[in-house]
Amino acid sequence: MSKTLIIAEHDGSNLNPSTAKCASCAAAIGQDFDILVMGSSVNAIAEQAAAIDGAAGVTVVDAENLANPLAVNHAAEVVALAESYSHILGPSTTYGRDLMPRIAALLGVNQVSDISTVEGSHHFTRPIYAGNAIVDVHAPENVTVVATVRVASWKAAGNSGSAAIETRSASAPASANTRYVGLEAGGGERPDLQSAPRVVSAGRAMASEENFEMVYELADLIGAGVGASRAAVDAGYCPNDMQVGQTGKIIAPDLYIAFGISGAIQHITGIKDAGTIVAVNKDADAPIFEVADIGLVADLFTVIPEMKQLLS
Amino acid sequence: MKILVGIKRVIDYNVRIRVKSDASGVETDGVKMSINPFDEIALEEALRIREAGLAEEVIVVSLGGNECQQQLRTGLAMGADRAIQVDTAEDLQPLTIARTFLKVIEKEQPGLVLLGKQAIDGDNSQTAQMLAALWDRPQATFVSQMNMSGESVTVVREVDAGLETIEVDLPAVISVDLRLNEPRFVKLPDIMKAKRKPLEVIALDELGVAPENNLEVSKYSPPPVRAKGILVEDTAQLVTELKTRGLV
């Protein structure tokens, strides 16, 4: 009975990198794990899941009503499988954060949110207060552990495995009172923020949507994803899916370059796990310099064009 | 229609959090407390819905000791019609909070429940989803736009991939995100008026809810500190540094 189930995340065509990160967390828990892929016509995604190192098996639940990531429908399928597992893990992405507490409530357990480290099969650490405190959490051993995995804390597992794939039909009818309408994708073709090895980010100091263009150009030059502070998103300079921080995306790229971001606690919490943090800001007293590995006190409108020139 | 809004008393978002030296928690002595910012946005949205004539009553609910009456009074001053304090000395976990809300819902029969998408202390982001599951009603989380239309509501959700639109039938539980609205400022006369608005106190035991399957927190630690960085003089030095470290 001591087995872990990972809820795979995907966009209908590709497995999200968060799934392989959950696999690393599952491996740290130290028991066999299966991966559950829910969706409609998801054979290719199931193949990707089956390749994740360490996966014992992949279960596919294929149904039209699972094509869209509605928590109500997905939770019902997970609950139907829950009996065979001691641990159920999902990513701390918006998909997982929407879905997992619903599963926990239906199973009558509390959820461990944002696992950063595994100290034992029921002992984890997680950040609270925007990462300003870390707590050691112990989940009760006599009930199912339902948890989200803080994806920024885990490296993706490799993909040389070949787990067996088993397909099941859906257990529950589609919910009639929740209807999916559509998705307006924001980011475009740039590398995904949550898995990009490099991220270039800018704040309100950019002063306009047009000025953000130079950030995109610099990012494209070094193959980086583009992030933003809450202030820049609120001001309408860039779409919401670029927001980095406590309430946006928590990321851990190898390189994070922040232009004109002062470094509010809520932003810092989103980048704390980055390999190298570079800060460029006119204000020498900006709190971002306290966490920066390399700081440059200068005007971003001078620095960005110069960097573009030196790097092209 | 009644709208129920959850309000949590948390350490103000501007306060620098310090872990106590005995690892038993974070410093709360003499620290400013406020309504969880996301809950304030939830309340603002409820008030706007009422002001648009689509709801009759806005009820704010908080779980905690008498100190949370301070935040409930602020909610009343913002414009809520009445308040309910579920009195408990315990630090409740999301499952118990959701079960308690369900009891209040059974009593009040709201058409809509608005909650913050997360509390900035525990950063759990669980209560709304759990409540929706237990109530067996639709959930819409991380909502940045809402349009009420009769028996249903169309919402825009801020998700990792962009903006997702879904439609949910009422009653429903909605958890709100930052960009839904900007909460109003409380005016002094409203603070005076709020003192006369009804605030009901119900003991947690009276609702028949007992905490179960709690997670145990054994230790609080400060986060790891990053090593001190360097300052460079100009862009050329910066680029050289990045190249030397093999980062570009």
Side-chain angles (χ1 to χ4, degrees):
Chain A
M1 148 94 188
S2 285
K3 205 170 183 193
T4 300
L5 180 68
I6 294 173
I7 314 303
E9 176 173 5
H10 62 86
D11 61 2
S13 24
N14 281 299
L15 196 63
N16 188 293
S18 66
T19 306
K21 294 182 177 182
C22 288
S24 294
C25 180
I29 291 170
Q31 46 196 42
D32 278 356
F33 65 89
D34 292 339
I35 300 176
L36 171 63
V37 178
M38 292 177 279
S40 173
S41 310
V42 287
N43 288 340
I45 294 160
E47 299 282 347
Q48 294 171 24
I52 289 178
D53 287 350
V58 171
T59 302
V60 175
V61 181
D62 202 308
E64 219 161 286
N65 72 51
L66 299 174
N68 298 312
L70 290 176
V72 61
N73 295 335
H74 284 210
E77 299 304 329
V78 177
V79 169
L81 292 170
E83 222 180 45
S84 316
Y85 297 95
S86 62
H87 292 60
I88 304 177
L89 303 181
S92 64
T93 56
T94 50
Y95 169 70
R97 280 161 54 211
D98 187 41
L99 173 66
M100 301 308 290
R102 200 172 171 102
I103 296 166
L106 294 172
L107 297 177
V109 300
N110 274 292
Q111 176 187 291
V112 182
S113 290
D114 301 317
I115 293 181
S116 306
T117 67
V118 171
E119 306 294 327
S121 67
H122 291 75
H123 178 187
F124 313 99
T125 67
R126 62 170 299 250
I128 58 170
Y129 287 102
N132 287 299
I134 311 293
V135 283
D136 277 63
V137 178
H138 304 260
E141 303 210 1
N142 55 343
V143 293
T144 314
V145 176
V146 176
T148 60
V149 175
R150 186 174 181 273
V151 288
S153 299
W154 298 88
K155 295 244 179 288
N159 58 347
S160 50
S162 56
I165 300 174
E166 170 209 12
T167 302
R168 304 172 40 118
S169 47
S171 311
S175 163
N177 56 23
T178 306
R179 293 168 294 277
Y180 186 84
V181 179
L183 173 74
E184 187 193 317
E189 296 305 302
R190 292 199 174 75
D192 169 53
L193 264 185
Q194 278 156 312
S195 49
R198 301 186 185 112
V199 171
V200 175
S201 198
R204 205 204 319 254
M206 293 312 296
S208 77
E209 197 180 343
E210 292 70 42
N211 287 343
F212 240 88
E213 273 310 313
M214 66 170 100
V215 180
Y216 296 127
E217 286 163 16
L218 176 63
D220 290 346
L221 210 55
I222 59 170
V226 180
S229 69
R230 178 192 165 189
V233 178
D234 281 357
Y237 303 159
C238 52
N240 69 285
D241 55 350
M242 283 170 51
Q243 185 175 321
V244 171
Q246 182 184 20
T247 67
K249 288 178 180 161
I250 313 276
I251 59 174
D254 299 331
L255 173 65
Y256 183 79
I257 310 182
F259 290 105
I261 290 178
S262 63
I265 300 170
Q266 291 80 5
H267 185 79
I268 302 293
T269 189
I271 58 168
K272 265 185 182 161
D273 295 321
T276 301
I277 297 174
V278 176
V280 177
N281 203 304
K282 269 201 300 203
D283 175 10
D285 296 325
I288 187 95
F289 287 116
E290 288 168 29
V291 296
D293 301 289
I294 308 174
L296 173 56
V297 181
D299 185 353
L300 64 94
F301 291 105
T302 318
V303 176
I304 296 179
E306 286 177 355
M307 281 185 81
K308 275 166 55 188
Q309 209 176 8
L310 290 164
L311 288 165
S312 55
Chain B
M1 183 178 79
K2 287 182 194 176
I3 305 179
L4 212 68
V5 179
I7 284 195
K8 187 174 186 186
R9 173 185 165 94
V10 298
I11 295 179
D12 188 83
Y13 78 101
N14 276 316
V15 171
R16 206 169 186 125
I17 301 296
R18 279 178 215 292
V19 175
K20 287 182 182 168
S21 51
D22 66 358
S24 66
V26 301
E27 209 55 72
T28 50
D29 281 356
V31 160
K32 186 185 174 197
M33 305 297 285
S34 300
I35 297 181
N36 178 41
F38 293 99
D39 301 348
E40 221 177 340
I41 294 168
L43 174 54
E44 175 65 34
E45 197 63 19
L47 298 174
R48 289 184 191 188
I49 293 168
R50 189 194 62 196
E51 283 157 6
L54 300 170
E56 288 78 47
E57 194 180 29
V58 174
I59 307 165
V60 284
V61 182
S62 193
L63 282 61
N66 285 345
E67 60 282 356
C68 76
Q69 289 187 6
Q70 199 187 339
Q71 279 63 43
L72 286 171
R73 288 289 173 202
T74 306
L76 293 170
M78 274 179 73
D81 298 289
R82 59 190 173 92
I84 299 173
Q85 176 205 350
V86 178
D87 188 31
T88 173
E90 265 191 81
D91 193 8
L92 302 180
Q93 298 188 5
L95 180 66
T96 310
I97 296 170
R99 285 176 171 167
T100 307
F101 267 103
L102 187 61
K103 292 291 180 186
V104 176
I105 285 171
E106 283 164 3
K107 193 161 162 265
E108 298 288 347
Q109 300 288 321
L112 178 64
V113 177
L114 286 169
L115 303 173
K117 77 160 179 178
Q118 74 194 74
I120 60 165
D121 49 5
D123 283 334
N124 278 309
S125 194
Q126 298 176 9
T127 302
Q129 299 89 310
M130 287 186 159
L131 175 58
L134 299 175
W135 193 16
D136 197 18
R137 293 304 309 169
Q139 75 183 44
T141 50
F142 327 137
V143 166
S144 64
Q145 265 182 60
M146 276 181 67
N147 281 302
M148 309 279 293
S149 52
E151 296 303 297
S152 66
V153 50
T154 305
V155 302
V156 175
R157 307 179 53 228
E158 293 205 0
V159 296
D160 291 339
L163 298 171
E164 181 191 279
T165 304
I166 65 171
E167 198 179 79
V168 295
D169 290 341
L170 297 174
V173 182
I174 292 182
S175 90
V176 308
D177 216 321
L178 286 171
R179 279 173 280 275
L180 181 61
N181 61 47
E182 254 182 67
R184 64 197 65 189
F185 288 105
V186 173
K187 297 188 216 74
L188 191 60
D190 294 331
I191 295 174
M192 304 310 291
K193 249 193 278 174
K195 288 185 180 157
R196 295 191 300 272
K197 288 185 179 176
L199 191 161
E200 184 187 355
V201 181
I202 309 172
L204 182 63
D205 319 343
E206 261 177 70
L207 293 174
V209 180
E212 194 188 26
N213 290 337
N214 270 348
L215 306 174
E216 185 209 327
V217 174
S218 60
K219 190 172 84 182
Y220 288 71
S221 325
V225 183
R226 290 183 74 96
K228 187 110 184 73
I230 58 160
L231 274 181
V232 292
E233 294 299 318
D234 55 27
T235 311
Q237 251 191 48
L238 171 59
V239 170
T240 309
E241 195 63 42
L242 291 176
K243 284 183 173 162
T244 316
R245 298 187 189 197
L247 293 166
V248 291

